[in-house]
C-alpha cells in the first residue's frame, strides 16, 4: 500500500511496512546512519539517524521507525542538526584522534560525519580510550580504541558468517568489542574473512598489513621477488585508481607490477585452472569409487577454517586440493625454482588477494616445504592499490603486458573463480570433458550465477550420470546447507563454498565502501572475459597441458599429491 | 554441585536460562571458569563470545577463583555518599588488581557489590563474610597489611 507523508514540508510517497529511513532514502533524502545495516533488523543503537516529528518536536530514529501515513517529518531542523552534531562530538570525545596515522584516513565515516556536522572544536572532553591493539591474528588487526561501538562487525560475524568470534563485552563506558575472555582474536573462532573490516566505519578493524616486508623484499637485491594475483584483482582496482568500476586491468597491472620491481609476475588464475584439473579428477574419482560425497571445495581459507572448527564431520568431504594461491606458492618454490636455477630460499613469494584469510592460509604449517613457507607475504587489494600509488605509477599511461611464462597463462574458466559459482562452472566444464571426451555444448550455467546466497542446479554430466550441485556464499548459508545434508538431504554431490557473500569479488580485502554497482560491474566483467576469450576450459590451457607433460604427470599423481594437495584437522573454536 | 550436574538439571532449558545457569555455576564454583563458559555454550548452543558478553555486562560474575580473602566492597548509595569509591580505589591500588580480579598469589580478590543492607555502617566492606564498618583509607591499609603479614 502506498501513501504520502510530509518531509521538510513537501509530500513524498511512502510504502507501508518500510522504515522511515527506507522512505527517505528512496526519495533521495539523505540521513546519516552508523549502526544501521541494510537488510538487517535495526537496533537503533547509535541515534545518528534522528529526525524530528514536526508536530511534537520529538526526535525519532529513522532507521528503526516504521513509516506511517500522514507523518510530518523534519530531517534538517536545527534540533536535528544539533543533536546529530552532539552525537558525533560524543563519539569523538574519547577517540584517539590520530587520523593522520590511521589506515582509514580520508575513508572514515566518523571523519565524514565530523566534517558534515561542522565539528570544529573539542567541546566535550572525555578520557581517551586506552584499549589495547590486538595484533594476535594473522589477518586482522583490531584497535578497539577507535571503535565507536556500532556493532556492525558483531552482526556480520554473527548473521552473515555464523562465526560469532566477537561480541560487545562489559557495560556502559567500559564497553568494548572483544572475543570470548577478551583474549586475542587468534584464540577465537575468527575465520579471518575480513567482512568485519568491510563494514567498520572507522579504523578499528584493518588487515594485518604486509606492506613493510614487501618494500623490504623489493629493496633487497639478492632475493628474486615473484608475485601472483588472484582472478578477481584485475577487475577490482579500477575505481580506486579513478577508472571505471569493474574495468579489467590485467595487462596494465602486469606492467605496473614489473615497474614496481617484481622480478616475475604470475597469474593465480593459472593455478585456478590447475585446481580445476585436480579437483575435477578428485570428484570423478569419488563418484566412480564410492568416495565421500558431497565433495566440497577447499579453495576458500575462511570456509576451510570454519569447517575445521564448526563442521569437522565434513572434513572428509573437503577436496584435498590446496587453494590456487597455495598451489602457485608450491610450484614457484619447486618447479619454477628448478627451471630457473634458483634456490627456494632465495625466492620471496608475494600474492595479491581480495582476501584477508589468505594471510592466515599463507602461514599455515601445512603450506611449507622443508620448513620454507610457500608464500612469504600476502597483500590485499587495498594494500596493492597503495603500492601502486606509492610507486607513483600512472595506470593511464602504461602499455599492457603479458604475465610471465610458465605459470602465467590462464583459461577464462580459471578467471571465473572470482565470482560465486565460478569454481563450480569451471569444474563442471572439465569433469564433463573428462567423462565424455567432448566439450559441453553450452558452458554457461545460469542458475549458478548471481549473488544469491545459495544456488543449486542439476547437471547431466553423462547420459547416465546426473549430479546435483550447490553453490553457497556467506558462511551462514553454508551452515544452512550443511544442516540440510546432516538431516538427510541426498541430492547434492558437489558444493562450492565461499565465505564472503558473492565470492571473492566482495572479499574482505577488497576496496572499502565499494557500492553495489561496482560489485555488479566486477561480476559482469569476469563473465565478459569468459564470453569473449577463446580458451574457456582449464584442460585446454596450453601451460596446464605442458606442466602435466613436463612436471606433474597427471592429475592426482604422486607429485601432484606432494605439492598440490593437503589435509585438514578438527580445531577448537576457542583456544584456552 | 558440579557443572555437569547443573547442566543435567537444566537438560531441557532454553537459551533464556543462560543467566540462571551461570549463577548456579558461580554459586557452586565461586567463579565462571573458561571450561564452564565453553560447556554452557555447547549445552545451550550459544556462542561463547555471547556468553562472555552477557556475563561481563553484569557485575556479579567473576572469571577467576576468589582469593583466600574475598573482599566485597559496597557501592550502594549510602556507602557511595560516604566515599566508597575512594575505598575501592585504595584497595585496588594497594592490591594492584581491579575489582573482579584476584591477586597473583591467590591471597586477595575484590568484588563490587550493591547495598549489603548495613547502610548505618557506611562505608562498609566485607571480608570473607566479616563486616568492617565505617572504613577509611587508613583503616583499609591496616586491615590488608595485617592479613598480608599473617600469611607471609
Ligand atoms: S574476520 Fe570474519 S570471522 Fe573474523 S571476526 Fe571478522 S567477521 Fe568474524
Ligand atoms: S570495531 Fe568497527 S564495526 Fe565493530 S563496533 Fe567498533 S566501530 Fe563498529
Ligand atoms: S543508524 Fe539509526 S540508530 Fe544507528
Ligand atoms: S549502601 Fe552500602 S550497605 Fe547499603
Amino acid at each position: 500500500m502506498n501513501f504520502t507523508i510530509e518531509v521538510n514540508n513537501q509530500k513524498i510517497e511512502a510504502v507501508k511496512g518500510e522504515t522511515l529511513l527506507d522512505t527517505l532514502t528512496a526519495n533521495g533524502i539523505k540521513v546519516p546512519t552508523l549502526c544501521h545495516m541494510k537488510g538487517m533488523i535495526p537496533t537503533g543503537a547509535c541515534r545518528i539517524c534522528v529526525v524530528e516529528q514536526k508536530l511534537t518536536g520529538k526526535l525519532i530514529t529513522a532507521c528503526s521507525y516504521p513509516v506511517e501515513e500522514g507523518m510530518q517529518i523534519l530531517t534538517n531542523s536545527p534540533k536535528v542538526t544539533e543533536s546529530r552534531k552532539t552525537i558525533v562530538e560524543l563519539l569523538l570525545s574519547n577517540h584517539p584522534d590520530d587520523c593522520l596515522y590511521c589506515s582509514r584516513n580520508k575513508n572514515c565515516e566518523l571523519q565524514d560525519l565530523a566534517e558534515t556536522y561542522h565539528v570544529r572544536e573539542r567541546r566535550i572532553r572525555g578520557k581517551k580510550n586506552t584499549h589495547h591493539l590486538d595484533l594476535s591474528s594473522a589477518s586482522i588487526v583490531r584497535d578497539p580504541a577507535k571503535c565507536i561501538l556500532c556493532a556492525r562487525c558483531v552482526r556480520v560475524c554473527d548473521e552473515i558468517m555464523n562465526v560469532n568470534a566477537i561480541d560487545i563485552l562489559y557495560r556502559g563506558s567500559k564497553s568494548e568489542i572483544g572475543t570470548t575472555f577478551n583474549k586475542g582474536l587468534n584464540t577465537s573462532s575468527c575465520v579471518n574473512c575480513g567482512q568485519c573490516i568491510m563494514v567498520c566505519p572507522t579504523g578499528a578493524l584493518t588487515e594485518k598489513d604486509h606492506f613493510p616486508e614487501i618494500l623490504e623484499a623489493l629493496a633487497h637485491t639478492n632475493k628474486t621477488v615473484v608475485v601472483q594475483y588472484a582472478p578477481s584483482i584485475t577487475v577490482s582496482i579500477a575505481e580506486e585508481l579513478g577508472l571505471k568500476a569493474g574495468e579489467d586491468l590485467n595487462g596494465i597491472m602486469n606492467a605496473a607490477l614489473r615497474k614496481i620491481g617484481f622480478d616475475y609476475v604470475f597469474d593465480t588464475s593459472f593455478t585456478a585452472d590447475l585446481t580445476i584439473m585436480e579437483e575435477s579428477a578428485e570428484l570423478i574419482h569419488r563418484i566412480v569409487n564410492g568416495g565421500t560425497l558431497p565433495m566440497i571445495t577447499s579453495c576458500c581459507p575462511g570456509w576451510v577454517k570454519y569447517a575445521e572448527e564448526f563442521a569437522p564431520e565434513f572434513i572428509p568431504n573437503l577436496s584435498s586440493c590446496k587453494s590456487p594461491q597455495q598451489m602457485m606458492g608450491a610450484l614457484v618454490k619447486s618447479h619454477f625454482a628448478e627451471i630457473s636455477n634458483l634456490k627456494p630460499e632465495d625466492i620471496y613469494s608475494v600474492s595479491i588477494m581480495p582476501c584477508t584469510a589468505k594471510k592466515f592460509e599463507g602461514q599455515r604449517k601445512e603450506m611449507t616445504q622443508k620448513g620454507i613457507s610457500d608464500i612469504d607475504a600476502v597483500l590485499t587489494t587495498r594494500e596493492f592499490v597503495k603500492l601502486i600509488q606509492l610507486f607513483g605509477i600512472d595506470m593511464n599511461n602504461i602499455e599492457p603486458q603479458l604475465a610471465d611464462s610458465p605459470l602465467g597463462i590462464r583459461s577464462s574458466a580459471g578467471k571465473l573463480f572470482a565470482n560465486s559459482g565460478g569454481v563450480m562452472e569451471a569444474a563442471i566444464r572439465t569433469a564433463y570433458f573428462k567423462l565424455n571426451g567432448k566439450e559441453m555444448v553450452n558452458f554457461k550455467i545460469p542458475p549458478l550465477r548471481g549473488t544469491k546466497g545459495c544456488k543449486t542446479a542439476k547437471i547431466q554430466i553423462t547420459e547416465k550420470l546426473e549430479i546435483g550441485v550447490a553453490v553457497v556464499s556467506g558462511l551462514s548459508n553454508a551452515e544452512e546447507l550443511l544442516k540440510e545434508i546432516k538431516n538427510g538431504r541426498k541430492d547434492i554431490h558437489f558444493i562450492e563454498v565461499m565465505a564472503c557473500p558473492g565470492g571473492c569479488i566482495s572479499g574482505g580485502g577488497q576496496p572499502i565502501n565499494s557500492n553495489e554497482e561496482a560489485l555488479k560491474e566486477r561480476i559482469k566483467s569476469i563473465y565478459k572475459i569468459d564470453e569473449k576469450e577463446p580458451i574457456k576450459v582449464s584442460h585446454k590451457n596450453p601451460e596446464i597441458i605442458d606442466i602435466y607433460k613436463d612436471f606433474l604427470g597427471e592429475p592426482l599423481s604422486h607429485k601432484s599429491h606432494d605439492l598440490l594437495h593437503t589435509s585438514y584437522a578438527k580445531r577448537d573454536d576457542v583456544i584456552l | 554441585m558440579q557443572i555437569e550436574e547443573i547442566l543435567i538439571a537444566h537438560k531441557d532449558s532454553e537459551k533464556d536460562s543462560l543467566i540462571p545457569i551461570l549463577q548456579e555455576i558461580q554459586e557452586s564454583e565461586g567463579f565462571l571458569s573458561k571450561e564452564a563458559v565453553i560447556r554452557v555454550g555447547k549445552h545451550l548452543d550459544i556462542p561463547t563470545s555471547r556468553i562472555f558478553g552477557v556475563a561481563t555486562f553484569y557485575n556479579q560474575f567473576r572469571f577467576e577463583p576468589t582469593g583466600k580473602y574475598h573482599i566485597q566492597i559496597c557501592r550502594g548509595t549510602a556507602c557511595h555518599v560516604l566515599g566508597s569509591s575512594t575505598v575501592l580505589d585504595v584497595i585496588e591500588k594497594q592490591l594492584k588488581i581491579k575489582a573482579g580480579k584476584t591477586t597473583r598469589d591467590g591471597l586477595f580478590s575484590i568484588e563490587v557489590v550493591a547495598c549489603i543492607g548495613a547502610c548505618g555502617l557506611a562505608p562498609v566492606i566485607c571480608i570473607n563474610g566479616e563486616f568492617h564498618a565505617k572504613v577509611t583509607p587508613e583503616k583499609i591499609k591496616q586491615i590488608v597489611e595485617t592479613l598480608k603479614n599473617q600469611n607471609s
Side-chain angles (χ1 to χ4, degrees), chain A residues 158-212:
Chain A
D158 173 12
E159 294 173 44
I160 310 285
M161 287 300 156
N162 197 43
V163 170
N164 293 293
I166 44 178
D167 209 330
I168 303 181
L169 312 181
Y170 310 103
R171 155 194 217 160
S173 65
K174 294 212 175 71
S175 288
E176 70 177 290
I177 305 291
T179 63
T180 317
F181 312 124
N182 206 6
K183 291 271 166 55
L185 197 60
N186 66 337
T187 67
S188 78
S189 54
C190 172
V191 302
N192 306 297
C193 69
Q195 287 300 313
C196 51
I197 299 177
M198 300 306 279
V199 296
C200 182
T202 72
L205 289 164
T206 49
E207 67 264 69
K208 169 74 71 59
D209 109 35
H210 287 184
F211 216 71

Side-chain angles (χ1 to χ4, degrees), chain B residues 75-108:
Chain B
R75 292 286 287 122
T77 317
C79 291
H80 176 74
V81 171
L82 290 169
S84 64
S85 71
T86 321
V87 171
L88 176 61
D89 229 41
V90 168
I91 297 187
E92 285 185 339
K93 286 223 175 77
Q94 196 176 0
L95 295 177
K96 299 196 184 72
I97 53 167
K98 289 274 171 204
K101 301 274 181 188
T102 304
T103 52
R104 278 227 207 160
D105 56 11
L107 216 46
F108 295 98

Side-chain angles (χ1 to χ4, degrees), chain A residues 457-512:
Chain A
K458 291 257 168 276
I459 313 281
Q460 196 71 45
I461 289 261
T462 64
E463 247 169 54
K464 278 187 247 116
L465 179 66
E466 188 193 63
I467 61 168
V469 300
V471 169
V472 284
S473 66
L475 290 173
S476 302
N477 294 314
E479 181 64 31
E480 278 306 303
L481 182 66
L482 294 186
K483 231 184 254 160
E484 287 174 24
I485 290 170
K486 268 192 264 183
N487 290 336
R489 183 166 180 181
K490 289 253 171 339
D491 62 329
I492 303 288
H493 306 96
F494 187 22
I495 305 173
E496 174 200 299
V497 183
M498 297 289 165
C500 294
C504 306
I505 46 108
S506 40
Q510 295 281 50
I512 286 172

Side-chain angles (χ1 to χ4, degrees), chain A residues 345-398:
Chain A
E345 55 270 35
D346 292 337
I347 299 176
Y348 193 83
S349 187
V350 178
S351 57
I352 301 173
M353 294 284 139
C355 177
T356 44
K358 291 281 167 195
K359 293 181 188 256
F360 171 82
E361 184 185 43
Q363 50 96 74
R364 280 181 72 120
K365 68 173 187 326
E366 297 89 348
M367 303 301 169
T368 53
Q369 304 175 54
K370 299 197 188 89
I372 300 174
S373 191
D374 286 335
I375 296 292
D376 294 292
V378 179
L379 291 180
T380 59
T381 318
R382 296 187 285 272
E383 293 175 271
F384 176 41
V385 170
K386 278 189 218 155
L387 199 63
I388 294 174
Q389 285 159 346
L390 178 72
F391 279 81
I393 291 169
D394 177 359
M395 301 289 269
N396 286 311
N397 244 322
I398 180 169

Side-chain angles (χ1 to χ4, degrees), chain B residues 64-83:
Chain B
E64 289 174 13
T66 50
K68 180 167 179 198
Y69 301 105
H70 186 51
I71 309 176
Q72 291 173 304
I73 295 152
C74 175
R75 292 286 287 122
T77 317
C79 291
H80 176 74
V81 171
L82 290 169

Side-chain angles (χ1 to χ4, degrees), chain A residues 39-103:
Chain A
M40 292 190 192
I41 298 164
T43 60
C46 74
R47 297 193 61 82
I48 195 76
C49 66
V50 286
V51 295
E52 184 176 346
Q53 280 181 321
K54 192 173 154 194
L55 296 179
T56 61
K58 232 178 86 187
L59 293 176
I60 55 175
T61 50
C63 73
S64 59
Y65 209 91
V67 69
E68 286 160 8
E69 188 160 8
M71 268 182 143
Q72 292 178 306
I73 296 294
L74 299 171
T75 66
N76 290 308
S77 66
K79 196 169 178 180
V80 167
T81 315
E82 208 31 60
S83 82
R84 287 186 193 155
K85 182 173 179 180
T86 307
I87 290 169
V88 176
E89 289 180 292
L90 281 168
L91 289 174
L92 287 171
S93 69
N94 61 0
H95 203 77
D97 280 356
D98 58 355
C99 296
L100 277 175
Y101 306 96
C102 180
S103 71

Side-chain angles (χ1 to χ4, degrees), chain A residues 109-396:
Chain A
E109 291 177 39
L110 188 57
Q111 259 183 0
D112 291 348
L113 284 170
E115 180 62 28
T116 306
Y117 290 96
H118 210 71
V119 178
R120 284 289 174 269
E121 60 178 327
R122 188 180 278 285
R123 274 198 309 143
I124 309 169
R125 222 167 264 278
K127 215 171 119 222
K128 291 267 180 274
N129 279 333
T130 51
H131 305 304
H132 293 296
L133 206 59
D134 177 2
L135 294 165
S136 66
S137 156
S139 300
I140 315 279
V141 175
R142 297 191 326 113
D143 188 354
K146 291 182 182 163
C147 172
I148 58 169
L149 293 171
C150 68
R152 276 158 38 174
C153 53
V154 173
R155 302 193 70 188
V156 171
C157 194
D158 173 12
E159 294 173 44
I160 310 285
M161 287 300 156
N162 197 43
V163 170
N164 293 293
I166 44 178
D167 209 330
I168 303 181
L169 312 181
Y170 310 103
R171 155 194 217 160
S173 65
K174 294 212 175 71
S175 288
E176 70 177 290
I177 305 291
T179 63
T180 317
F181 312 124
N182 206 6
K183 291 271 166 55
L185 197 60
N186 66 337
T187 67
S188 78
S189 54
C190 172
V191 302
N192 306 297
C193 69
Q195 287 300 313
C196 51
I197 299 177
M198 300 306 279
V199 296
C200 182
T202 72
L205 289 164
T206 49
E207 67 264 69
K208 169 74 71 59
D209 109 35
H210 287 184
F211 216 71
E213 292 95 308
I214 287 183
L215 292 183
E216 168 72 25
L218 286 169
H220 239 273
T221 41
N222 55 5
K223 284 229 176 193
T224 302
V225 189
V226 308
V227 67
Q228 58 167 313
Y229 50 82
S232 61
I233 304 296
T234 66
V235 301
S236 302
I237 54 171
E239 71 263 38
E240 293 285 294
L241 299 163
L243 301 164
K244 196 178 147 290
E247 196 179 330
D248 181 27
L249 299 180
N250 205 341
I252 293 173
M253 243 180 65
N254 289 336
L257 286 167
R258 292 205 178 94
K259 273 193 196 287
I260 289 170
F262 290 101
D263 299 309
Y264 291 90
V265 178
F266 299 133
D267 188 343
T268 315
S269 305
F270 164 79
T271 33
D273 278 333
L274 194 59
T275 304
I276 290 303
M277 298 301 289
E278 296 289 327
E279 201 160 350
S280 58
E282 188 184 352
L283 178 68
I284 294 171
H285 187 265
R286 287 185 190 222
I287 292 178
V288 174
N289 298 294
T292 310
L293 291 172
M295 186 169 96
I296 312 181
T297 57
S298 57
C299 38
C300 167
W303 152 242
V304 168
K305 185 166 186 256
Y306 182 91
E308 291 179 318
E309 290 170 347
F310 296 106
E313 65 275 35
F314 284 96
I315 287 179
N317 299 68
L318 286 184
S319 159
S320 62
C321 290
K322 286 184 187 170
S323 71
Q325 162 176 286
Q326 295 305 144
M327 286 199 182
M328 180 65 86
L331 285 178
V332 162
K333 292 200 181 175
S334 58
H335 182 51
F336 168 77
E338 207 179 294
I339 58 178
S340 318
N341 261 326
L342 289 166
K343 287 206 219 90
E345 55 270 35
D346 292 337
I347 299 176
Y348 193 83
S349 187
V350 178
S351 57
I352 301 173
M353 294 284 139
C355 177
T356 44
K358 291 281 167 195
K359 293 181 188 256
F360 171 82
E361 184 185 43
Q363 50 96 74
R364 280 181 72 120
K365 68 173 187 326
E366 297 89 348
M367 303 301 169
T368 53
Q369 304 175 54
K370 299 197 188 89
I372 300 174
S373 191
D374 286 335
I375 296 292
D376 294 292
V378 179
L379 291 180
T380 59
T381 318
R382 296 187 285 272
E383 293 175 271
F384 176 41
V385 170
K386 278 189 218 155
L387 199 63
I388 294 174
Q389 285 159 346
L390 178 72
F391 279 81
I393 291 169
D394 177 359
M395 301 289 269
N396 286 311

